[in-house]
Amino acid sequence: MTLKICEIFFSLQGESTFAGLPCVFVRLSGCNLACTWCDTLYARDVENVEDVKNANGESLDMTIDEIIDRVKSFGCTLVEITGGEPLIQNKTPLLINKLIKLGFKVLLETNGSMSIKNINTECVRIVDIKCPSSGESNKNLYENLEFLTQKDQIKFVIADKKDYQFTKKTLPKIKKIPAEHIHLSPVFDRIEPEKLAQWILKDNLKARLSMQLHKIIWDPEKRGV
């Protein structure tokens, strides 16, 4: 019972309401989308992951127990399962369940094209809604909005005014999530955060500006941070 792993590392949580907290990241390999501004292209397919295996000593295929042992080694109780797209691997829900049973606080970052219906509700599901600039906005699975709980979170990645207008029109569909759990994240080097902040303030939008903290602290091209 294995999962394909891109990398496992310890860093600060860079996004969501958990930003700034130490966190163990389990990045799974493979993705079913090809967003134009993707910043983890190396996690999209198995061929790209081979370099990670050679450089970091990671096993491309790891059992759930091996993953959990690695997570435990960091001594941190906050864990994020990310990708790629973690839900394209059918054993991901089992990994989440086992981590929760062991007392970990688990976050799941998913691109919004896969159902979260059967994901443990004790897990914080951070669900993207893809905007037009991603090239994948036709893949949004809006039925996921019905499965969200108050502690889950939504993220819009914004590259331009068209994305912002799309976000404004979409927000009324989000009924279960408080404003502080709705994130508008500017695409790094594509739009000035100040511009997005001005739009949010002008419209008094019920959402928050969410910066990618790890890209501010470290080199934006650096992996494993």
Side-chain angles (χ1 to χ4, degrees), residues 25-176:
F25 293 83
V26 178
R27 188 182 303 284
L28 304 187
S29 64
C31 190
N32 60 323
L33 300 185
C35 296
T36 58
W37 36 249
C38 179
D39 57 2
T40 53
L41 286 171
Y42 58 89
R44 280 186 56 194
D45 56 56
V46 172
E47 289 181 359
N48 289 340
V49 193
E50 199 63 35
D51 292 335
V52 177
K53 179 183 177 183
N54 294 337
N56 297 345
E58 297 282 356
S59 172
L60 182 60
D61 294 296
M62 296 179 71
T63 68
I64 288 177
D65 287 342
E66 287 173 337
I67 296 167
I68 290 173
D69 284 345
R70 183 66 185 276
V71 169
K72 286 179 177 178
S73 72
F74 295 104
C76 177
T77 58
L78 182 63
V79 182
E80 177 171 306
I81 311 299
T82 185
E85 172 46 55
L87 294 184
I88 66 173
Q89 299 194 48
N90 60 18
K91 297 298 188 296
T92 299
L94 182 57
L95 172 62
I96 291 170
N97 290 342
K98 287 197 170 187
L99 285 167
I100 289 171
K101 286 181 180 178
L102 289 169
F104 289 95
K105 179 76 171 181
V106 181
L107 317 178
L108 169 70
E109 179 112 22
T110 176
N111 65 27
S113 69
M114 308 286 292
S115 178
I116 63 167
K117 182 177 181 179
N118 296 319
I119 300 299
N120 194 321
T121 55
E122 291 185 41
C123 173
V124 177
R125 286 85 57 90
I126 303 169
V127 181
D128 279 14
I129 295 182
K130 298 300 183 187
C131 295
S133 71
S134 70
E136 298 284 12
S137 58
N138 63 322
K139 306 290 179 53
N140 289 319
L141 189 64
Y142 287 106
E143 69 180 47
N144 276 332
L145 298 179
E146 297 301 315
F147 308 133
L148 296 171
T149 70
Q150 285 280 312
K151 68 173 180 291
D152 293 323
Q153 306 190 20
I154 292 285
K155 183 175 70 174
F156 295 88
V157 178
I158 310 286
D160 52 33
K161 190 61 177 285
K162 183 177 180 180
D163 284 353
Y164 178 76
Q165 295 293 352
F166 170 86
T167 300
K168 277 181 62 178
K169 290 179 181 178
T170 305
L171 285 178
K173 297 180 181 179
I174 303 171
K175 308 293 186 183
K176 300 180 179 180

Side-chain angles (χ1 to χ4, degrees), residues 20 24 32 77 92 101 124 136 180 185 187 199-200 217 219:
V24 180
N32 60 323
T77 58
T92 299
K101 286 181 180 178
V124 177
E136 298 284 12
E180 60 267 27
S185 179
V187 177
W199 294 339
I200 292 171
I217 298 173
D219 181 339

